[in-house]
Amino acid sequence: MKQNVFVYNTLTRTKEEFIPLDAPYIGMYVCGPTVYSDAHLGNARTYISFDLIFRYLTHLGYKVRYVRNITDAGHLEGDSDEGEDKISKKAKLSQLEPMEIVQMYATGFHEVMRQFNVLPPSIEPTATGHIIEQIELVKIMLDRGFAYEVDGSVYFDVEKYNSTQDYGVLSGRHLEDLLNNTRSLGGQDEKRGKLDFALWIKAKPEHLMKWPSPWSLGFPGWHLECSAMSHKYLGEQFDIHGGGLDLIPTHHTNEVAQNMACYGKNPAKYWVHTNMLTVNGQKMSKSLGNSFLPHELFSGDNNILNKGYSPMTVRFFMLQAHYRSTLDFSNDAMEASEKGFKRLMNAYTLLDGLKSSAETEIEIQPLLTRCYEALNDDFNSPVLIAELFEASRIINSVHDSKMKINEANLVELKNLMNTFVNGILGLQNEQAGTDELPQLMEFIVDLRSQAKSNRDYATSDRIRDGLQQIGFQLKDSKEGTTWSKI
């Protein structure tokens, strides 16, 4: 059935119906990591959010070309045109080649994405693999008068551009306000305006990563990279451009300016942004000493939380918050999510063992409709998860013989859970990895039954209580004893 999807567009600050430029094809570009250090949780939150969007649009039958880049050069310290290249600096400190740093942290990033069950993008281009395309964009902007060269470096002329276009169209800020709030920095003397940004930077002799260009031996500006790669693989305009909220004021604003200067078009029809992370209500940051990496969250090796949490628990925790809302890490929130995730997965594992009856007391179609309605409303995963807990309640009631369901509705229920839990939310049952578990539990249940038959109630109770402590619940009934995960 056709679904009408609505998405919040940062560009218009409204929720709009999602109408692809060239259905059934969709182009989606998301700014990827700069691989000079370990992937952080902000990265993970953004890519899990867009994984949900990618999965859902694909489920609806769209052919999605998802491009997520790797920045392996040109991203300077402080996200500005000053300072050293982040990757070059790390390479010098580690006494390694820059590409060794890139390989090390790109591999680590991919491993974190694998642990979170994030699907790989359709294309994962690198900045260093697209130097020629970036040089060509600079030539276009120079030819059209939106850029100027000074001693081998090329800058974008923001004030000239703003005379014909709105430079702050994405951020919602006026040029005058931006100019008033921008302080002059050392080394900016060669720029005409305080807001001008580098398209190509002449490399100093000690700079490790540099390429020949018509202007100098140098390297591309950070903002230029995404414009070049999105244009190459998705064209002058595509459907969705995504990233974290922190990219709007500078990086994404400059991408819009570059594309408008080159092609007269905003690169994306819909701009989608994820919100920030907090810890106990405070913004997560290294300077506050409250940040931790994914592997520190998994292991519990951090000073913030009481214990570690599995990758699927963390994914579930992130999806319990809407991607546009602040996500707050706390002990209470993580523990609640862990319990909720186990409850959902326990119900999921009971599905295959459910038995249908001739009668039914359940209609699955209304529940299915509400699941779609949740995702159609700006990919509202928290509402979807609430509906899946309703599905879990039905599963548990059927399993406990408190509710009847016929074969047709049981098939619908199984399809619903498989589609939304595993296929779209991307949640996997971490406890269900061993094929031997059912046989093992049957053996234990049988031992307990023998103990009860021998009137050895102390052993029977010890088995029941011990299983409960490690997350398994036994239920006795006239038909026998059944088990489930808590």
Side-chain angles (χ1 to χ4, degrees):
M1 56 184 168
K2 185 180 183 299
Q3 301 294 332
N4 296 320
V5 179
F6 289 81
V7 60
Y8 183 85
N9 189 353
T10 305
L11 187 65
T12 60
R13 293 161 192 79
T14 57
K15 203 180 287 185
E16 302 175 10
E17 184 173 2
F18 177 70
I19 302 173
L21 293 165
D22 185 25
Y25 302 98
I26 289 175
M28 181 167 78
Y29 188 93
V30 176
C31 292
T34 301
V35 284
Y36 72 102
S37 64
D38 291 311
H40 56 76
L41 284 168
N43 291 144
R45 201 256 174 116
T46 293
Y47 304 132
I48 287 171
S49 298
F50 283 98
D51 185 56
L52 169 73
I53 293 171
F54 181 35
R55 287 169 180 267
Y56 185 55
L57 294 176
T58 301
H59 167 75
L60 293 182
Y62 291 110
K63 300 181 187 303
V64 185
R65 178 177 288 174
Y66 176 17
V67 182
R68 188 187 69 209
N69 73 295
I70 293 281
T71 295
D72 56 356
H75 193 168
L76 304 186
E77 297 172 285
D79 299 344
S80 67
D81 298 334
E82 300 299 315
E84 201 169 353
D85 181 289
K86 292 183 177 184
I87 291 163
S88 291
K89 182 177 181 180
K90 190 63 174 258
K92 288 176 183 175
L93 290 171
S94 306
Q95 295 186 312
L96 296 170
E97 283 290 326
M99 283 301 120
E100 287 182 275
I101 296 297
V102 167
Q103 184 68 29
M104 180 194 310
Y105 289 111
T107 299
F109 168 72
H110 290 137
E111 173 58 19
V112 170
M113 293 299 100
R114 184 197 65 76
Q115 289 176 294
F116 279 127
N117 196 28
V118 171
L119 297 175
S122 315
I123 303 172
E124 192 172 50
T126 62
T128 56
H130 296 79
I131 299 295
I132 293 171
E133 289 84 354
Q134 293 174 74
I135 289 173
E136 290 305 308
L137 284 193
V138 177
K139 288 179 181 177
I140 293 172
M141 285 181 268
L142 282 167
D143 289 344
R144 297 192 174 172
F146 291 111
Y148 57 92
E149 180 195 351
V150 181
D151 191 27
S153 292
V154 182
Y155 297 98
F156 189 91
D157 192 331
V158 170
E159 290 184 60
K160 184 170 183 180
Y161 169 80
N162 195 72
S163 66
T164 59
Q165 302 290 336
D166 181 4
Y167 176 67
V169 65
L170 190 63
S171 67
R173 300 181 67 187
H174 298 297
L175 187 70
E176 295 75 18
D177 296 333
L178 293 169
L179 286 168
N180 291 335
N181 292 324
T182 302
R183 59 191 177 93
S184 295
L185 298 174
Q188 282 193 328
D189 296 343
E190 61 187 21
K191 294 182 183 181
R192 293 177 184 170
K194 288 193 291 184
L195 293 175
D196 293 357
F197 57 91
L199 300 171
W200 186 265
I201 303 170
K202 181 180 179 180
K204 295 175 182 176
E206 66 273 16
H207 197 89
L208 295 179
M209 306 174 80
K210 47 198 170 190
W211 294 264
S213 78
W215 315 286
S216 65
L217 191 64
F219 55 94
W222 174 40
H223 315 302
L224 184 66
E225 299 170 1
C226 288
S227 288
M229 290 184 277
S230 65
H231 174 257
K232 176 162 185 174
Y233 297 108
L234 300 175
E236 293 180 3
Q237 190 173 47
F238 47 93
D239 297 289
I240 297 171
H241 195 315
L245 206 62
D246 57 313
L247 296 179
I248 295 173
T250 305
H251 186 55
H252 285 171
T253 288
N254 291 345
E255 272 193 73
V256 172
Q258 289 166 165
N259 276 66
M260 291 293 295
C262 287
Y263 311 114
K265 295 177 182 177
N266 192 305
K269 187 176 179 183
Y270 305 93
W271 285 83
V272 179
H273 291 96
T274 56
N275 211 326
M276 66 177 182
L277 305 182
T278 58
V279 178
N280 296 317
Q282 277 191 309
K283 184 178 178 180
M284 182 184 286
S285 72
K286 288 182 181 178
S287 61
L288 291 174
N290 67 351
S291 68
F292 42 87
L293 297 170
H295 70 85
E296 294 169 333
L297 178 54
F298 302 155
S299 67
D301 186 19
N302 63 77
N303 299 321
I304 310 297
L305 301 176
N306 292 334
K307 64 174 187 173
Y309 294 90
S310 71
M312 282 298 103
T313 298
V314 179
R315 182 179 174 111
F316 178 76
F317 168 69
M318 290 186 174
L319 291 170
Q320 275 193 301
H322 190 269
Y323 75 88
R324 284 196 293 114
S325 67
T326 302
L327 180 68
D328 187 56
F329 281 86
S330 69
N331 282 303
D332 289 346
M334 288 303 304
E335 286 173 13
S337 278
E338 185 176 55
K339 289 176 183 174
F341 175 65
K342 285 181 178 178
R343 187 153 53 96
L344 183 64
M345 287 299 121
N346 289 345
Y348 191 54
T349 56
L350 293 176
L351 266 174
D352 288 336
L354 293 188
K355 294 178 182 178
S356 60
S357 64
E359 305 170 55
T360 190
E361 300 167 339
I362 308 156
E363 289 295 330
I364 303 302
Q365 205 59 41
L367 179 60
L368 180 66
T369 299
R370 295 197 301 273
C371 287
Y372 277 112
E373 285 174 349
L375 289 179
N376 291 342
D377 183 16
D378 197 22
F379 313 105
N380 200 322
S381 55
V383 172
L384 170 62
I385 288 171
E387 296 297 347
L388 293 176
F389 277 129
E390 172 62 17
S392 299
R393 185 191 66 78
I394 293 170
I395 292 168
N396 289 324
S397 295
V398 173
H399 177 262
D400 295 340
S401 302
K402 295 177 181 176
M403 197 177 276
K404 295 176 181 178
I405 188 169
N406 64 22
E407 181 63 27
N409 280 324
L410 181 55
V411 169
E412 286 183 343
L413 182 59
K414 287 180 178 179
N415 288 339
L416 182 150
M417 291 295 280
N418 287 328
T419 296
F420 289 98
V421 174
N422 185 258
I424 295 172
L425 291 179
L427 297 171
Q428 297 174 321
N429 194 343
E430 295 162 314
Q431 305 300 324
T434 58
D435 295 333
E436 298 83 7
L437 182 61
Q439 294 95 313
L440 178 62
M441 289 301 298
E442 283 178 26
F443 177 70
I444 294 172
V445 167
D446 188 49
L447 281 179
R448 179 170 174 268
S449 296
Q450 287 180 31
K452 287 177 73 176
S453 298
N454 296 332
R455 297 179 181 273
D456 185 0
Y457 299 118
T459 299
S460 168
D461 291 346
R462 216 166 87 199
I463 292 172
R464 181 198 63 209
D465 296 342
L467 286 173
Q468 188 157 12
Q469 285 178 4
I470 61 172
F472 294 91
Q473 186 174 46
L474 299 183
K475 287 186 179 180
D476 297 318
S477 65
K478 293 178 182 177
E479 289 77 25
T481 302
T482 59
W483 62 275
S484 62
K485 297 189 192 74
I486 300 171

